[in-house]
Amino acid sequence: MSERLQHRTALVTGSTSNIGRAIAEAFAAEGAHVIVSGRSRERGEQVVAGIRATGGRADFLAAELDGGADSARDLAERARAALGGRIDILVNNAGVYPAPDTAATDEETFDHVYAVNVKAPFFLTAAVVPAMERAGGGTVINLGSWIARLGIPVGALYSSTKGAMETLTRAWAAEFGPRGVRVNAISPGVILPRTDDGGEPHPGEIMMKGTPAGGVGSPDAVAHAAVWLAADESSFVHGTVVDVDGGRTGTAVIAA
């Protein structure tokens, strides 16, 4: 542990599994006191137990971020109380990924995906940032996606929400940066948990063919980028989307 985040506090939404869990664990390993947040208390408490077993500091807060401003304010208030009165780092990671074709997407699904993926982080950021400003500064990290900038024939609804989050990243950097709060985003490629199940290749692996990486990434790859964006090394980085996508959106490998 290098303790790059020593004496800092963090709220990571959707951190009971996958990318969010890896970020919470990485923050705790660097010395931060982390709030693990999500819908599943069982999974959340397992993450917390694992962090504590390695000497880290973490607590779980159940939260149903449905897009309502009240639910966002409630989580912000409970997190501040659990963290001793302040939140230094906010990671807007929670999201849902229904991916029906456009013609098959009903209005209820549309509203739900935008509520969870855009409205919830919007109002949570609005609830957290003013206290960051009063405390002298802070960091917000949003999660985008590679398919926000590289069109593929599935997931139009989801990709549009991630495009919205990348736009908000730049707008919030301009709005909050002069007041001491840095805002950046991470755009993951296809990220899959490491497994040894020996099963059939995941469809996402096909999407990563023809990239410099040549395959999918792990949640830890995103977590490493999040630690950097939260730490002092990135203090001159504002409004940036960091691609952690194996080169998917920026390059193409031509086979010999």
Side-chain angles (χ1 to χ4, degrees):
M1 182 182 346
S2 63
E3 299 188 341
R4 294 153 76 189
L5 302 179
Q6 186 72 17
H7 306 306
R8 298 186 196 181
T9 61
L11 167 59
V12 183
T13 68
S15 50
T16 61
S17 63
N18 207 13
I19 290 174
R21 176 174 184 164
I23 292 173
E25 291 172 343
F27 280 6
E30 293 290 347
H33 182 180
V34 180
I35 292 297
V36 175
S37 175
R39 291 176 296 176
S40 171
R41 179 170 295 277
E42 180 181 2
R43 290 191 303 179
E45 290 179 346
Q46 288 175 353
V47 176
V48 168
I51 289 172
R52 291 177 177 174
T54 58
R57 294 178 298 161
D59 295 285
F60 173 72
L61 291 179
E64 181 73 44
L65 292 175
D66 57 5
D70 288 344
S71 60
R73 283 193 292 266
D74 174 69
L75 176 58
E77 291 169 3
R78 288 187 290 132
R80 271 193 292 269
L83 293 170
R86 76 179 201 275
I87 301 170
D88 298 318
I89 306 160
L90 169 63
V91 180
N92 287 312
N93 169 74
V96 292
Y97 181 66
D101 293 341
T102 297
T105 301
D106 58 35
E107 187 173 5
E108 182 180 2
T109 299
F110 184 99
D111 290 344
H112 175 65
V113 175
Y114 262 84
V116 175
N117 292 8
V118 182
K119 281 185 67 179
F122 183 96
F123 285 112
L124 183 58
T125 300
V128 169
V129 165
M132 284 182 173
E133 294 173 353
R134 291 191 296 270
T139 303
V140 177
I141 302 170
N142 298 319
L143 267 292
S145 173
W146 66 284
I147 62 172
R149 279 170 290 133
L150 181 66
I152 61 173
V154 294
L157 176 61
Y158 174 82
S159 65
S160 70
T161 66
K162 290 305 182 179
M165 289 310 299
E166 293 191 4
T167 297
L168 283 171
T169 296
R170 292 182 285 272
W172 282 340
E175 182 178 359
F176 303 138
R179 290 176 260 171
V181 177
R182 290 191 304 114
V183 184
N184 292 287
I186 301 171
S187 177
V190 178
I191 303 294
L192 297 175
R194 296 301 185 193
T195 61
D196 297 313
D197 57 14
E200 292 295 321
H202 189 278
E205 295 180 13
I206 299 172
M207 296 182 182
M208 293 301 291
K209 289 185 176 180
T211 66
V216 301
S218 71
D220 289 341
V222 181
H224 293 321
V227 168
W228 177 71
L229 286 174
D232 292 339
E233 296 98 301
S234 63
S235 61
F236 201 53
V237 180
H238 292 258
T240 293
V241 179
V242 178
D243 292 324
V244 184
D245 64 0
R248 174 72 285 172
T249 56
T251 60
V253 175
I254 300 174

